[in-house]
Each structure stands twice: as structure tokens, then as C-alpha cells.
Amino acid sequence: MKFFVDTAEIDDIAELNALGMVDGVTTNPSLIMKSGRDILEVTREICALIDGPVSAEVVALNAEDMIAEGRKLAQIADNIAVKVPLTWDGLKTCKTLTAEGIMVNVTLCFSANQALLAAKAGATFISPFVGRLDDINVDGMELIAEIRQIYDNYGFDTQILVASIRSVEHVTQSALIGADVATIPPAVIRKLAGHVLTDKGLEGFMKDWAKTGQKIL
Ligand code: G3P
């Protein structure tokens, strides 16, 4: 499973990338707002840092303007994936931009039928939001399993990009189900390394080591 980082914070992306943890990056209008940066400027910097796909989201609501925004974003770099919302206009934009050879990430997906439409419109990525489904007491991971089955049933190439990941369990479950990509906030990626028994074990080793009175360096 590929790891995308769900952030527009350059420092986080650079640190995780140096560890080989970054296969791509996703941003959205809220993450751009949080970064306090200009969208074109920060997206250009991210694209220069990362070889994989970097999602940048359109903000127009009608297809004509979405397509124009998408074309402008795609000019930033070859690895841009234009992110469009899962609306009728977003699907039209997806169809047009993919025909032009531009990667498209269809976002704000909350149902299997929406995911089916995105695949038929040629989406490179579909972004189902698991955390926001959990927020309304619907099991977000069940949606991922449904989409996996539907895409496999018909051989759709669209990659399942699990979004709105809030916990390490979301990451494990995404990998078990066979999602293609998980886009993960930096803090959750760091949490993946943690385990209470690792901490406990290390504490024990350090106590015993102190008793030996030895040094390695
Ligand atoms: O990739 C979409 C993601 O950023 C949304 O996450 O936590 O705002 O639902 P969240």
C-alpha cells in the first residue's frame, strides 16, 4: 500500500520523505488554509520535493471553471493530480481532464455508487473519507471493502485512496482490505511506529544495561 501524506506542511513532508515514507501528497483547501501559504507556491515546492502524485484541489463548483482551474494546477508540474469533488460537475471535469492525460483524484466520496461513477469517468484515484463516515456512526472501512470488491469485479484501474484517516487502525484496515493508497496525516504516520510493548521492552533493556556499567561509545 502506498503512503501519501495528507498535509501542505513542507517540513513534515521533507522529514517523512527523507525516511522513504512518502509515495505522494494530498492537499485540500482546508490544508492550504492551515499552512497559511499561497496554493500555487506551496504546491510547486511540494512537487519539487516529491516524485509521486501531488493532489491539488479545484475550488470552482461548475465544470467549465473547474476544468480551467484544473488545467492551471496541472501546469505546476508533471506529478500534479487534480482533485475534484464528487459532484456531477466534478465527474464531467474528471472525464475531460483524464482525456487530456492529467491525473485526477475524485474526492469527498461517501458511497460505493459514487466510487463506481468516478471509475467510469476515468478517475486515477477515488478518495473515500473514512473518518467522516465514522463521525456519523457509519463504518468507513466497510465502504473501502465495498469499493475494493466492486473495482475488482469489473477490473477498474482507479486506485482506492483512503482519506480522512484519523487512527493507526484505519491504516491497518486499509492495508488488510487491499486499498491502493492511504493518505495519512503526519502525526498518524509517526504513531504507526509506536507500541506500548516496544516502550516497555526498551525501558527494561536500559535498566539492565545500566547495571552492566558498560559503554559502547
Ligand atoms: O484527505 C482528506 C482529509 O484531509 C480529510 O480529513 O480529518 O478533515 O476528515 P478530515
Side-chain angles (χ1 to χ4, degrees):
M1 185 170 71
K2 285 176 250 174
F3 273 18
F4 287 4
V5 190
D6 200 24
T7 187
E9 304 295 334
I10 292 283
D11 290 350
D12 284 327
I13 296 167
E15 188 206 336
L16 294 166
N17 190 42
L19 274 175
M21 300 292 173
V22 182
D23 300 305
V25 172
T26 52
T27 65
N28 62 36
S30 303
L31 293 171
I32 295 292
M33 185 270 294
K34 225 167 139 189
S35 76
R37 300 284 313 275
D38 172 82
I39 182 171
L40 299 178
E41 207 178 271
V42 75
T43 306
R44 194 170 294 115
E45 280 178 36
I46 298 170
C47 287
L49 209 61
I50 300 296
D51 293 331
V54 174
S55 290
E57 189 159 343
V58 300
V59 289
L61 297 176
N62 67 79
E64 196 186 336
D65 293 337
M66 276 188 203
I67 291 166
E69 286 181 356
R71 286 180 180 143
K72 181 167 179 179
L73 291 170
Q75 277 170 6
I76 294 175
D78 288 344
N79 54 337
I80 284 286
V82 173
K83 213 169 174 189
V84 302
L86 211 155
T87 59
W88 206 246
D89 286 78
L91 292 170
K92 285 182 188 168
T93 304
C94 175
K95 186 76 186 151
T96 301
L97 295 181
T98 52
E100 294 174 10
I102 296 171
M103 288 187 282
V104 176
N105 176 358
V106 181
T107 189
L108 289 168
C109 170
F110 294 96
S111 77
N113 284 336
Q114 287 182 315
L116 187 52
L117 290 180
K120 290 181 84 67
T124 316
F125 301 103
I126 181 70
S127 290
F129 276 33
V130 292
R132 293 192 193 184
L133 281 170
D134 291 351
D135 287 345
I136 58 160
N137 290 322
V138 175
D139 183 355
M141 296 317 300
E142 246 174 53
L143 173 61
I144 304 304
E146 284 176 8
I147 300 172
R148 180 72 286 156
Q149 183 169 345
I150 290 168
Y151 281 9
D152 288 350
N153 283 350
Y154 298 101
F156 286 118
D157 290 338
T158 301
Q159 295 182 48
I160 302 173
L161 192 169
V162 183
S164 186
I165 282 184
R166 307 267 177 78
S167 67
V168 294
E169 287 77 21
H170 279 149
V171 178
T172 315
Q173 287 167 24
S174 298
L176 284 170
I177 290 167
D180 301 285
V181 189
T183 188
I184 319 173
V188 177
I189 295 185
R190 291 190 186 100
K191 268 194 200 155
L192 293 173
H195 198 286
V196 64
L197 292 179
T198 305
D199 296 342
K200 203 174 158 198
L202 195 55
E203 201 185 312
F205 288 157
M206 291 306 99
K207 269 190 193 146
D208 290 343
W209 182 248
K211 287 177 203 156
T212 71
Q214 299 181 42
K215 280 194 162 79
I216 294 177
L217 287 177

